[in-house]
Amino acid sequence: MSICCADIPRLPGLESIRFRAGLTGGQRIVRWPYVAENDTIQPWVSGGELVFVTGINHRRTERNLCQLVEEAIHSNVAGLVILTGPEFIQQIPNSVLELANKHKLPLLEQPYSLKMVLVTEVISNAIVQSNLLGKSVRLFLTKLINGFDQAPELIHLRAGDLGISDTNPFSVLALRINPIDSETVTTQHQLLHVRQELEEYLGSILKRRNIDWPVLNYEKDLLAIWPITDIGSDTTELYDELAQVLTLLQKCFPQLVLCIGVSERKTGLDKLADATEQARQALQFAVKHQHQRIFFYEQLGIARLYAAIPNRGLLADFCKQHLGSLCFARDNATLEMKATLGHYFNHFGHQQHTADAMGVHRNTLSYRLGKIEQRLGYSLQDPFLRLNLQNALLIEQILFHHHDIAEHTDQLDDDKD
């Protein structure tokens, strides 16, 4: 929904502006146009500007133009537009084009005869209209995700009014971030800034793939609607596509751990709330088992049955019965016990394989399992009890995801009293 550098030559009246370098960065979002009047631009920009260099008030040498490219890269501007004509900047030097290409900075050329007042007016109007439309679309989709109850026919009509198509099948992607290095993201403000950058970059990837849906913020997750163009394609093809996206994101944000949950294929925006819930359930397991960063809802198996049970109290009682004091506890010692049990079950109760996967000695693992048995009050050697315990851990994850734990933890405290 945002205006990017690649859109500029497509705007009415701006067809004579053309890309000269940095086309691979063409999806950079244009926040606002800015006309450079000084020798330097760095003190005057804050990121996202499309900077116009006219050469009228300041003589632009080849060296100065290269300097502007360097400053634009450092200041994270959207791109540069250099005006050329017989009066001032006659042509763009090759060294400037090469530097822009090297750093994937969009560099466009505008004929001096095209009036700047027209250019800035067209771009500014396009940005304002795009932002207004984008807000309307986001509000509409957010209402649907939150279960806004409307007939499918009315949803279809509203989607048509907003210029979005809801006739093609889609999957919802839910993405969550965690910093790898705590020193890199130390405050909530820094985390929000990184999240905003990630949202913009994911949006640019979608736009490069001709996906017009906006990236949505939903609680602590980012959501994206991924159209399924080939009805007959299998999950493997979609996984390969999303693996490429995850690789691009991870390369741009190496300081983050990124996980993606993917819903089933749906058709019609009246299914958006269901698809979002499925994607977030899958994401919960991707976060829990980070050896698989992309997790499909179809992979959840029996967890899908538990998630569909409306009586959360029944599920919570099952957890309390089989987990005992481990149930819903979040202290470090208990979390370590649950992690140990998870590895133990994932390796089918084979202690040596479990110890190897955890990077501990087998005797250490045996000691930990003994402490767990003491706390549970029963032996892990009983296969039936082990099955119930494994399912209780699975249900607990589902209840945490649904935010259904507060009333149950309060009940646990009452039971202790």
Side-chain angles (χ1 to χ4, degrees), residues 31 52 58 83 178 207-208 268 272 362 392:
R31 189 170 58 84
F52 289 81
H58 188 87
L83 278 66
N178 289 304
K207 196 155 189 176
R208 282 202 299 271
L272 184 59
R362 179 169 177 171

Side-chain angles (χ1 to χ4, degrees), residues 128-149:
V128 170
Q129 292 174 13
S130 176
N131 287 342
L132 290 174
L133 178 60
K135 289 180 180 178
S136 297
V137 171
R138 283 183 169 85
L139 179 61
F140 173 60
L141 296 177
T142 300
K143 285 184 175 180
L144 295 179
I145 289 171
N146 287 319
F148 182 64
D149 190 19

Side-chain angles (χ1 to χ4, degrees), residues 317-372:
D317 289 341
F318 182 87
C319 287
K320 287 182 278 187
Q321 179 185 350
H322 295 283
L323 286 173
S325 64
L326 297 181
C327 187
F328 302 130
R330 305 299 290 171
D331 59 279
N332 291 335
T334 303
L335 290 177
E336 184 183 77
M337 287 184 175
K338 292 179 183 179
T340 299
L341 283 172
H343 284 290
Y344 182 65
F345 291 141
N346 288 340
H347 291 86
F348 308 103
H350 193 293
Q351 290 200 21
Q352 188 59 59
H353 292 170
T354 304
D356 292 342
M358 295 180 65
V360 300
H361 194 276
R362 179 169 177 171
N363 291 342
T364 301
L365 175 65
S366 296
Y367 174 77
R368 290 183 182 179
L369 292 175
K371 297 291 286 184
I372 291 171

Side-chain angles (χ1 to χ4, degrees), residues 99-206:
L99 186 59
N101 270 328
K102 177 183 177 181
H103 294 282
K104 301 178 182 179
L105 176 74
L107 194 153
L108 299 92
E109 184 174 6
Q110 174 184 328
Y112 184 75
S113 57
L114 182 60
K115 294 181 179 179
M116 275 302 305
V117 65
L118 170 66
V119 174
T120 54
E121 180 182 3
V122 170
I123 294 176
S124 300
N125 286 339
I127 291 172
V128 170
Q129 292 174 13
S130 176
N131 287 342
L132 290 174
L133 178 60
K135 289 180 180 178
S136 297
V137 171
R138 283 183 169 85
L139 179 61
F140 173 60
L141 296 177
T142 300
K143 285 184 175 180
L144 295 179
I145 289 171
N146 287 319
F148 182 64
D149 190 19
Q150 270 197 345
E153 296 80 8
L154 294 178
I155 293 174
H156 178 73
L157 288 174
R158 179 56 178 155
D161 291 340
L162 293 172
I164 54 180
S165 173
D166 66 336
T167 58
N168 295 324
F170 64 88
S171 286
V172 168
L173 315 182
L175 184 146
R176 189 174 301 167
I177 64 174
N178 289 304
I180 293 177
D181 183 0
S182 60
E183 294 182 359
T184 304
V185 182
T186 57
T187 67
Q188 186 67 21
H189 176 74
Q190 288 175 314
L191 183 60
L192 289 174
H193 179 69
V194 170
R195 182 188 175 102
Q196 182 179 2
E197 287 186 334
L198 179 65
E199 179 184 345
E200 291 178 356
Y201 190 70
L202 177 58
S204 70
I205 292 176
L206 297 180

Side-chain angles (χ1 to χ4, degrees), residues 139-292:
L139 179 61
F140 173 60
L141 296 177
T142 300
K143 285 184 175 180
L144 295 179
I145 289 171
N146 287 319
F148 182 64
D149 190 19
Q150 270 197 345
E153 296 80 8
L154 294 178
I155 293 174
H156 178 73
L157 288 174
R158 179 56 178 155
D161 291 340
L162 293 172
I164 54 180
S165 173
D166 66 336
T167 58
N168 295 324
F170 64 88
S171 286
V172 168
L173 315 182
L175 184 146
R176 189 174 301 167
I177 64 174
N178 289 304
I180 293 177
D181 183 0
S182 60
E183 294 182 359
T184 304
V185 182
T186 57
T187 67
Q188 186 67 21
H189 176 74
Q190 288 175 314
L191 183 60
L192 289 174
H193 179 69
V194 170
R195 182 188 175 102
Q196 182 179 2
E197 287 186 334
L198 179 65
E199 179 184 345
E200 291 178 356
Y201 190 70
L202 177 58
S204 70
I205 292 176
L206 297 180
K207 196 155 189 176
R208 282 202 299 271
R209 293 171 177 261
N210 297 316
I211 298 174
D212 292 329
W213 300 98
V215 178
L216 302 172
N217 277 284
Y218 190 76
E219 296 181 359
K220 57 184 177 181
D221 301 330
L222 295 178
L223 302 178
I225 300 173
W226 190 273
I228 308 296
T229 53
D230 186 357
I231 305 296
S233 62
D234 57 18
T235 302
T236 303
E237 293 182 22
L238 179 57
Y239 180 88
D240 291 340
E241 290 180 3
L242 298 182
Q244 294 177 11
V245 172
L246 187 59
T247 299
L248 288 172
L249 292 172
Q250 200 67 76
K251 184 178 180 181
C252 190
F253 299 91
Q255 78 277 27
L256 303 177
V257 175
L258 304 175
C259 297
I260 297 176
V262 188
S263 76
E264 292 179 321
R265 300 181 187 190
K266 304 286 186 180
T267 301
L269 287 177
D270 56 308
K271 308 293 194 309
L272 184 59
D274 289 340
T276 299
E277 179 61 25
Q278 290 181 359
R280 298 188 74 217
Q281 287 181 26
L283 175 61
Q284 190 76 1
F285 284 83
V287 171
K288 182 72 175 178
H289 309 285
Q290 291 187 8
H291 61 279
Q292 185 175 342

